[in-house]
């Protein structure tokens, strides 16, 4: 993990038992305010957007933007899990894919992931989890082309799914740096791809409601392997219309101290209530990475006292 001295004990732990810092909607820092709405948006909202474009677009932009640092900056800060929502633009004759969150990004998927591959080349001891999902407007042919490009881009860096509990030591020994989660049926045909990683999403707009949801999930025990606890707040359209001067950034910052207090109480490891990946919004200005590094020190202290 970045900015952290790894110990021998840490290298021997399964990667799913170390707490990793995640970026929710990691590519929303480069949303294109002039791009079309994604197809899954309702017809009613599409009509409203067409009639009141000058009002809806700034509103969409400030509520859909969840990050403000580039992918390279996020990597350098210590983010190791990336929530990547992939789509193909409706009626686009090209095969270019983009990231989405209500609207599309300026950057294409392949140019972004090429940057990740270059960063990994210069940081051979770092391991990332790329969680590709949603896939709006993507045909089976585009899926196959995209998967071929991913396999070509990352090559031997890809950790196959058959390695059920990789440790940092085993990943380093094999020269593997990428765990690629692909939320579709295609991982059944491609051993390099991992199935969808569970994401605990509260779908609530206050820290207290998010924490209540996460604690309820913890009581049911941790899933097998990798899973994500989402700290991200979600505002529905009623909340947005009643709080027009707010933005996702302002409500995230105003709820941060409550979320921070909850994070500081969590523990890594294999216990039934131990966590694995904690993902949030605005992971640049908010000190989530430093909190996660401190949490992993608990695992080392726990081992040293046995």
């Amino acid at each position: 993990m970045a900015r952290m001295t790894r110990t021998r004990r840490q290298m021997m732990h399964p990667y799913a038992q170390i707490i990793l810092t995640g970026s929710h909607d990691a590519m929303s820092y480069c949303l294109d305010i002039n791009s079309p709405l994604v197809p899954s948006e309702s017809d009613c909202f599409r009509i409203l957007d067409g009639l009141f474009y000058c009002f809806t677009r700034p509103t969409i932009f400030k509520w859909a933007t969840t990050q403000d640092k580039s992918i390279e900056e996020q990597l350098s800060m210590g983010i190791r899990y990336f929530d990547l929502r992939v789509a193909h633009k409706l009626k686009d004759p090209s095969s270019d894919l983009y990231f989405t969150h209500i609207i599309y990004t300026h950057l294409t998927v392949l140019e972004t992931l090429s940057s990740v591959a270059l960063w990994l080349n210069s940081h051979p001891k770092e391991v990332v989890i790329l969680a590709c999902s949603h896939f709006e407007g993507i045909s089976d042919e585009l899926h196959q082309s995209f998967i071929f490009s991913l396999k070509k881009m990352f090559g031997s860096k890809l950790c196959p799914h058959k390695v059920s509990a990789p440790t940092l030591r085993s990943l380093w020994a094999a020269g593997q740096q990428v765990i690629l989660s692909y939320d579709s049926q295609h991982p059944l045909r491609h051993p390099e791809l991992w199935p969808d990683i569970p994401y605990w999403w509260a779908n609530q707009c206050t820290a207290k409601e998010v924490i209540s949801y996460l604690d309820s999930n913890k009581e049911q025990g941790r899933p097998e392997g990798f899973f994500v606890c989402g700290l991200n707040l979600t505002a529905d359209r009623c909340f947005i219309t009643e709080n027009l001067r707010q933005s996702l950034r302002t409500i995230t910052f105003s709820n941060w101290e409550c979320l921070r207090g909850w994070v500081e109480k969590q523990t890594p490891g294999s216990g039934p209530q131990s966590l694995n990946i904690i993902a949030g919004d605005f992971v640049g200005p908010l000190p989530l990475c430093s909190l996660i590094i401190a949490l992993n020190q608990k695992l080392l202290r726990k081992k040293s006292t046995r």
Side-chain angles (χ1 to χ4, degrees):
M1 294 174 64
R3 301 181 185 176
M4 181 174 180
T5 302
R6 298 180 179 90
T7 69
R8 188 170 298 176
R9 290 192 186 96
Q10 208 173 17
M11 291 187 287
M12 295 172 66
H13 273 289
Y15 207 46
Q17 292 180 18
I18 299 171
I19 298 187
L20 308 175
T21 313
S23 175
H24 167 249
D25 263 310
M27 292 301 298
S28 63
Y29 66 87
C30 62
L31 291 173
D32 179 1
I33 197 170
N34 297 312
S35 77
L37 296 172
V38 296
S40 59
E41 291 300 324
S42 69
D43 290 340
C44 180
F45 186 56
R46 204 173 298 281
I47 293 170
L48 186 68
D49 183 55
L51 292 173
F52 303 103
Y53 188 89
C54 292
F55 169 75
T56 57
R57 283 314 170 107
T59 304
I60 289 170
F61 192 78
K62 71 178 185 177
W63 286 98
T65 299
T66 68
Q67 306 297 340
D68 58 7
K69 299 295 182 183
S70 72
I71 195 84
E72 296 90 348
E73 289 173 313
Q74 292 182 47
L75 283 162
S76 295
M77 289 185 307
I79 305 301
R80 293 296 174 265
Y81 166 90
F82 296 88
D83 170 25
L84 303 173
R85 305 179 183 200
V86 180
H88 182 252
K89 290 181 180 178
L90 200 63
K91 299 180 181 178
D92 184 351
S94 78
S95 60
D96 289 341
L97 302 180
Y98 295 84
F99 300 102
T100 67
H101 193 201
I102 305 177
I103 52 179
Y104 300 88
T105 55
H106 287 287
L107 297 175
T108 66
V109 172
L110 291 183
E111 66 181 312
T112 300
L113 295 183
S114 294
S115 298
V116 174
L118 285 173
W119 189 90
L120 291 172
N121 284 341
S122 59
H123 298 81
K125 296 295 186 183
E126 300 301 337
V127 178
V128 299
I129 300 175
L130 305 178
C132 297
S133 66
H134 287 60
F135 300 118
E136 289 201 56
I138 299 185
S139 64
D140 191 64
E141 183 180 356
L142 277 175
H143 269 295
Q144 295 299 338
S145 174
F146 180 41
I147 291 169
F148 175 81
S149 297
L150 291 172
K151 290 162 74 171
K152 182 178 179 182
M153 183 182 300
F154 293 112
S156 61
K157 287 185 174 66
L158 291 170
C159 173
H161 182 225
K162 67 180 181 180
V163 184
S164 59
T167 65
L168 281 174
R169 176 175 286 181
S170 68
L171 290 166
W172 291 351
Q176 295 164 348
Q177 295 179 267
V178 180
I179 292 168
L180 182 57
S181 165
Y182 204 91
D183 186 12
S184 78
Q185 295 300 311
H186 290 82
L188 299 174
R189 289 180 267 168
H190 299 273
E192 300 90 347
L193 304 181
W194 290 60
D196 178 42
I197 293 173
Y199 193 111
W200 292 354
W201 174 47
N203 193 20
Q204 300 293 338
C205 64
T206 70
K208 289 183 178 179
E209 291 171 310
V210 169
I211 289 168
S212 175
Y213 169 83
L214 295 177
D215 283 339
S216 176
N217 277 19
K218 283 179 61 182
E219 290 297 325
Q220 300 173 39
R222 60 172 288 157
E224 290 285 333
F226 297 107
F227 69 102
V228 187
C229 290
L231 299 181
N232 46 293
L233 307 179
T234 304
D236 61 24
R237 283 168 189 165
C238 288
F239 180 92
I240 292 171
T241 55
E242 293 171 1
N243 296 272
L244 292 177
R245 294 186 179 182
Q246 298 269 27
S247 66
L248 185 61
R249 184 184 181 95
T250 61
I251 68 167
T252 299
F253 276 65
S254 64
N255 280 268
W256 171 246
E257 286 307 314
C258 187
L259 292 170
R260 177 183 188 136
W262 182 85
V263 170
E264 290 174 337
K265 297 174 184 175
Q266 306 312 306
T267 57
S270 58
Q273 293 197 14
S274 297
L275 301 187
N276 175 214
I277 302 164
I278 300 178
D281 293 334
F282 302 103
V283 293
L286 296 176
L288 185 58
C289 288
S290 59
L291 291 180
I292 300 306
I293 289 173
L295 291 182
N296 284 313
Q297 296 295 338
K298 294 181 182 180
L299 188 62
L300 304 181
R301 290 194 295 269
K302 183 178 178 181
K303 284 289 184 181
S304 66
T305 57
R306 287 183 178 177

